[in-house]
Amino acid sequence: MTVGIVLVSHSMAVARATAELAHALAGPDVAVIAAGGTDDGRMGTSIDVVSQAVSEADGGSGVVVLMDMGSSVLTAKTLLAEFDDDDAAPVVRLADAPFVEGAVAAAVLASTGADLDAVVDSAEQGRAMRKL
Amino acid sequence: MILDTATAVAWIRRAYELVRADEARLTRLDTAIGDGDHGANLTRGLAAAEIALDEKQPDSAGQALITAGRSLISKTGGASGPLYGNGFRQAGKELREEGDVAAVADALEAMLRGIEELGGALHGDKTMVDALAPAVAAFQTSASATLDLHAAGQAAVAAAEAGLAATVPMQARKGRASYLGERSIGHEDPGAASTVLILRALAEVTAP
């Protein structure tokens, strides 16, 4: 099973469209799950939405989470702290990466069957990748 | 006076009332430099905390604060949710059953640490930490001198208000306001403003 990817954005539309883009470039076999907006459909983030997305993305090889900014990062960090206290929780890593570029890079590498560390590295390399 | 279960629940309820009553002001502050949702978000989070306290009927002061923290994390929607939520949870874990003024000082210290660790804000970044950090220090000083929960709470409120005023000339280095650069100067930080309300709620419910 490939590494799963969760995309946390304040906007459900941004999370979904980024997942769609990642799937278009990485193929349909990688689990890229959008976790955008609050649990009642507003702009913002929800730990319950993110937690559910992580469960959905987890195929046993771990999950990398990418966040846009602000409360997305704080919510993901809070969830990770809760998982630390729970032995049955999935293995989750947060990627310090640009949202769209990181999601695509992570999805493409995950599609090759790479492990969690490699997928996180791939996403984080997006920070240094120049465009011009 | 000790912070027992009933007083802890009353603290959260009073915080909800104060934030709801000041929702428009918090929103106005957040519209100036943030995304304009702090008042509505925190009102929603504290409303959820009140419902959770009604449903769960916590049997200790610590459990009451942990329950409220969990609701704030789940239902607030903005950055203040995980920050205050984590703060209340850390305070609840520290407080456990109930606490005298010294134990509440430790709980507030744990709240501050939880918020600092999660958000990574330093003093002077124009955040809630700029109100909470001096407030916790003032609470501790007053706690040692007066051994009185209400007096320490009032000292914390006064220090938080001074901390809030001190955020006006600061340039934001966290959150949406940080994107504004120098334009964030000249406004009170909304997170520091809501911290004043939360501490005022504590001072009020511990009045003799």
Side-chain angles (χ1 to χ4, degrees):
Chain A
M1 207 45 209
T2 57
V3 169
I5 296 159
V6 169
L7 304 178
V8 184
S9 170
H10 285 65
S11 157
M12 189 182 288
V14 167
R16 280 188 183 157
T18 307
E20 193 186 343
L21 177 61
H23 270 136
L25 293 166
D29 297 336
V30 185
V32 185
I33 309 296
T38 62
D39 57 356
D40 54 357
R42 292 173 293 113
M43 284 284 169
T45 49
S46 156
I47 196 167
D48 299 330
V49 169
V50 179
S51 179
Q52 200 176 331
V54 167
S55 300
E56 213 175 311
D58 183 34
S61 303
V63 175
V64 54
V65 178
L66 287 101
M67 305 75 67
D68 58 2
M69 77 278 277
S71 66
S72 298
V73 180
L74 300 181
T75 299
K77 282 174 77 176
T78 303
L79 183 66
L80 208 66
E82 288 186 3
F83 282 180
D84 282 347
D85 299 334
D86 178 1
D87 292 340
V91 178
V92 177
R93 295 269 306 276
L94 308 185
D96 190 355
F99 193 66
V100 176
E101 293 85 341
V104 169
V108 168
L109 196 67
S111 74
T112 68
D115 68 14
L116 185 58
D117 284 344
V119 173
V120 171
D121 279 349
S122 171
E124 294 191 339
Q125 277 167 21
R127 276 193 299 171
M129 196 175 289
R130 297 191 55 169
K131 295 177 190 180
L132 294 174
Chain B
M1 186 77 198
I2 56 164
L3 192 69
D4 56 13
T5 309
T7 314
V9 171
W11 178 14
I12 302 300
R13 286 187 197 287
R14 187 62 187 144
Y16 173 46
E17 287 172 1
L18 292 178
V19 167
R20 194 178 47 183
D22 249 352
E23 183 183 330
R25 183 176 64 91
L26 293 175
T27 294
R28 198 166 59 242
L29 293 176
D30 196 33
T31 303
I33 56 171
D35 49 2
D37 60 4
H38 187 52
N41 277 347
L42 196 55
T43 299
R44 186 183 302 106
L46 286 166
E50 186 167 272
I51 291 168
L53 289 170
D54 282 342
E55 283 173 355
K56 278 209 163 175
Q57 298 285 324
D59 55 8
S60 71
Q63 202 53 49
L65 299 186
I66 290 168
T67 299
R70 178 68 215 181
S71 296
L72 284 166
I73 288 167
S74 286
K75 296 295 178 190
T76 304
S80 60
L83 290 168
Y84 281 132
N86 195 48
F88 274 112
R89 283 211 297 206
Q90 298 302 327
K93 282 183 192 171
E94 177 69 35
L95 192 59
R96 288 181 290 196
E97 293 301 313
E98 59 185 28
D100 62 6
V101 63
V104 175
D106 290 344
L108 289 174
E109 174 76 37
M111 173 182 276
L112 173 63
R113 265 203 318 276
I115 288 172
E116 284 179 330
E117 278 169 18
L118 181 61
L122 303 172
H123 300 192
D125 281 355
K126 198 180 183 91
T127 72
M128 56 178 71
V129 168
D130 292 309
L132 188 57
V136 170
F139 190 100
Q140 287 165 337
T141 304
S142 174
S144 306
T146 66
L147 304 177
D148 183 83
L149 188 50
H150 178 56
Q154 286 180 311
V157 172
E161 284 171 340
L164 168 62
T167 64
V168 173
M170 290 176 185
Q171 180 172 333
R173 284 195 289 264
K174 284 280 166 187
R176 180 193 179 280
S178 64
Y179 302 143
L180 292 171
E182 290 181 0
R183 287 169 193 241
S184 63
I185 294 171
H187 303 274
E188 284 181 340
D189 176 66
S194 59
T195 293
V196 170
L197 298 178
I198 288 170
L199 292 169
R200 184 174 298 147
L202 175 63
E204 287 184 9
V205 300
T206 53

